[in-house]
């Protein structure tokens, strides 16, 4: 016959009955039950006061909670969550302090939101190498926000690398060079010229070959802006603008797509204003990006500068096919520089092409 399992409740009941009815001593009853005399006495005394119901486990929750958040603060946090439903506790406590002068610990806010079922599971973090420029205008990141093909416009994003300040989240007619140049020309008149611009390798920038120069890159170089490109297949290089797009998708959702550019502009402007001046940024220690922004030191000229070569420079003219010749060999430098003159001079690894003062490819790479 197999052994029968006895519940804890049954063991306690047997111990109490052995003492109170069977006349067993407390020592013998506790020895049979495998507990101490102190534990046996506790259950016998409790059964005398509370009956059999007193043998069950009592709640270990404290009868009073010292330092509990007052209801008014809790209500204010939930109100702030209703106002900014996409934000987590870290951002909400910053806004609580700034808007209502209420101090609340982030961990406490997390517990309150969790208790009211107002949290979402956090996505798993992926480790990546981070970089950040040291001043506004040192580098800007640029990309297009992905939208459905049916959308009547494209969304151009330009973000300052130093403070993550959004310079433009602009609906433009399409992703062609003229549309991008027109939007950037206006943007540069407001903020000034950056030192460099980081982009991906998409066709929207006219970049067809890894070593060739496109017309958009040549346009940037004439303005004194160094074009930079992330490695193909590595969107994390533009992590700041990719993160911005994630925030826009979360907070705007279906409102990203509007029937026209005119209807999209006020919605996008309101989002950018909130992102730059209201929404605390974790990577900035809870500050808003606007606190890290200042106009770029170099003003935009009234017109695109002409290209001049230093006196006595060795130069070649790029033909309409994007080629130039040097010592009997033809080299393809790119259609973006056709009918422009490039400079050739010795550099660390040999003869190299230059345009508007910016180094291009070495001849042996072409």
């Amino acid at each position: 016959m197999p052994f029968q399992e006895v519940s804890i409740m049954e063991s306690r009941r047997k111990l109490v009955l052995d003492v109170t009815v069977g006349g067993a001593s407390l020592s013998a009853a506790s020895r049979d039950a495998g507990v101490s005399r102190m534990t046996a006495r506790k259950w016998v005394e409790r059964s005398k006061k509370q009956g059999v119901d007193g043998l069950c486990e009592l709640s270990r929750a404290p009868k009073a909670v010292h330092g509990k958040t007052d209801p008014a603060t809790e209500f204010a946090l939930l109100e702030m969550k209703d106002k900014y439903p996409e934000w987590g506790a870290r951002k909400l406590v910053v806004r609580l302090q700034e808007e209502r002068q209420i101090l609340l610990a982030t961990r406490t806010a997390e517990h309150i939101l969790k208790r009211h079922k107002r949290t979402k599971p956090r996505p798993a973090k992926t480790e990546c190498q981070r970089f950040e420029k040291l001043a506004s205008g040192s580098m800007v990141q640029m990309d297009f926000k992905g939208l459905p093909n049916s959308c009547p416009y494209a969304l151009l994003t330009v973000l300052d690398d130093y403070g993550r300040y959004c310079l433009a989240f602009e609906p433009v007619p399409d992703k062609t060079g003229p549309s991008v140049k027109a939007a950037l020309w206006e943007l540069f008149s407001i903020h000034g010229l950056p030192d460099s611009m980081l982009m991906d390798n998409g066709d929207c920038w006219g970049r067809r070959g890894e070593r060739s120069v496109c017309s958009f890159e040549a346009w940037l170089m004439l303005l004194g802006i160094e074009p930079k490109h992330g490695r193909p297949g590595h969107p994390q290089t533009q992590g700041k603008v990719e993160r911005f797009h994630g925030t826009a998708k979360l907070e705007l959702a279906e409102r990203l797509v509007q029937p026209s550019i005119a209807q999209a502009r006020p919605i996008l402007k309101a989002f950018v204003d909130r992102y730059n001046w209201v929404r605390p940024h974790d990577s900035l220690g809870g500050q808003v990006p606007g606190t890290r922004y200042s106009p770029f030191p170099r003003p935009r000229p009234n017109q695109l500068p002409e290209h001049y070569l230093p006196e006595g420079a060795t130069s070649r003219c790029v033909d309409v096919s994007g080629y130039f010749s040097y010592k009997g060999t033809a080299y393809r430098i790119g259609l973006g520089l056709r009918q422009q003159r490039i400079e050739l001079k010795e550099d660390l690894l040999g003869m190299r092409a230059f345009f508007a003062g910016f180094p291009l490819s070495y001849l042996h790479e072409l």
Side-chain angles (χ1 to χ4, degrees):
M1 181 176 182
F3 291 106
Q4 294 182 351
E5 292 186 357
V6 180
S7 68
I8 294 177
M9 189 71 174
E10 287 297 326
S11 297
R12 291 172 182 167
R13 184 179 291 110
K14 181 178 183 302
L15 184 149
V16 170
L17 291 176
D18 286 347
V19 174
T20 58
V21 179
S25 67
L26 197 62
S27 298
S30 61
R31 189 166 49 251
D32 292 342
V35 297
S36 67
R37 293 181 76 256
M38 184 179 296
T39 301
R41 180 178 292 106
K42 178 185 76 172
W43 292 115
V44 171
E45 294 299 325
R46 188 179 294 180
S47 69
K48 291 178 181 179
K49 296 176 182 178
Q50 302 178 18
V52 177
D53 291 340
L55 300 179
C56 63
E57 284 289 341
L58 300 180
S59 172
R60 286 179 168 79
K63 294 181 174 61
V65 179
H66 299 287
K68 182 180 179 181
T69 306
D70 65 274
T73 299
E74 193 166 318
F75 181 74
L77 174 66
L78 296 176
E79 271 193 331
M80 196 66 68
K81 179 66 174 177
D82 290 335
K83 187 177 180 180
Y84 305 109
E86 302 87 4
W87 293 5
R90 285 196 298 269
K91 292 179 175 58
L92 293 173
V93 296
V94 174
R95 296 309 305 165
L96 268 180
Q97 183 175 356
E98 292 181 354
E99 291 187 16
R100 305 192 185 186
Q101 291 72 53
I102 296 176
L103 292 174
L104 187 64
T106 301
R107 183 62 63 86
T108 303
E110 289 176 346
H111 290 325
I112 294 172
L113 294 174
K114 185 176 182 180
R115 187 168 68 249
H116 288 272
K117 296 181 170 50
R118 306 291 291 277
T119 59
K120 296 179 181 178
R122 295 179 182 176
K125 290 185 177 181
T126 54
E127 293 296 328
C128 60
Q129 185 176 359
R130 300 181 183 275
F131 64 89
E132 179 179 280
K133 294 298 180 179
L134 300 178
S136 285
S138 296
M139 184 174 74
V140 297
Q141 297 191 16
M142 180 170 66
D143 201 359
F144 279 104
K145 173 74 181 78
L147 295 175
N149 293 332
S150 58
C151 187
Y153 51 82
L155 262 183
L156 178 67
T157 304
V158 184
L159 211 69
D160 183 30
D161 185 86
Y162 168 64
R164 295 162 175 79
Y165 184 87
C166 181
L167 304 167
F169 194 38
E170 180 72 15
V172 294
D174 48 50
K175 296 182 179 181
T176 60
S179 293
V180 175
K181 289 178 183 177
L184 291 179
W185 189 254
E186 179 65 24
L187 183 146
F188 294 155
S189 71
I190 299 171
H191 302 283
L193 296 173
D195 295 333
S196 63
M197 180 169 283
L198 177 65
M199 305 158 280
D200 60 19
N201 296 276
D203 288 345
C204 51
W205 315 125
R207 189 172 173 83
R208 298 283 189 257
E210 190 173 325
R211 298 295 179 186
S212 62
V213 178
C214 68
S215 59
F216 179 69
E217 291 173 314
W219 183 78
L220 290 176
M221 286 188 278
L222 286 174
L223 287 170
I225 302 170
E226 179 187 4
K228 295 182 176 182
H229 296 271
R231 285 190 298 163
H234 288 76
Q236 59 268 32
T237 305
Q238 292 176 269
K240 297 179 181 69
V241 74
E242 293 290 344
R243 183 66 185 86
F244 174 85
H245 285 165
T247 300
K249 181 178 179 181
L250 177 65
E251 298 197 10
L252 293 176
E254 68 278 357
R255 290 184 294 158
L256 282 168
V257 179
Q258 296 295 322
S260 67
I261 288 179
Q263 291 168 282
R265 278 207 171 104
I267 295 173
L268 298 173
K269 183 181 184 306
F271 166 74
V272 170
D273 287 344
R274 189 167 87 166
Y275 178 88
N276 283 337
W277 299 104
V278 177
R279 181 183 183 273
H281 203 296
D282 292 342
S283 297
L284 302 179
Q287 294 180 319
V288 296
T291 62
R292 300 278 292 271
Y293 167 76
S294 59
F296 304 161
R298 293 192 300 136
R300 191 209 72 185
N302 292 327
Q303 60 185 15
L304 189 67
E306 294 185 14
H307 177 44
Y308 295 99
L309 287 169
E311 187 176 351
T314 301
S315 66
R316 292 293 185 273
C317 184
V318 180
D319 64 23
V320 294
S321 301
Y323 285 82
F324 69 91
S325 295
Y326 180 70
K327 292 186 177 181
T329 302
Y331 298 94
R332 185 177 186 276
I333 195 67
L335 293 174
L337 292 176
R338 56 188 170 186
Q339 297 183 321
Q340 294 275 9
R341 295 198 72 84
I342 60 170
E343 181 184 4
L344 299 175
K345 60 182 180 180
E346 286 288 339
D347 205 13
L348 293 175
L349 301 178
M351 189 63 74
R352 191 172 194 177
F354 289 78
F355 179 72
F358 290 101
L360 305 179
S361 298
Y362 286 96
L363 298 196
H364 69 265
E365 296 174 326
L366 298 173

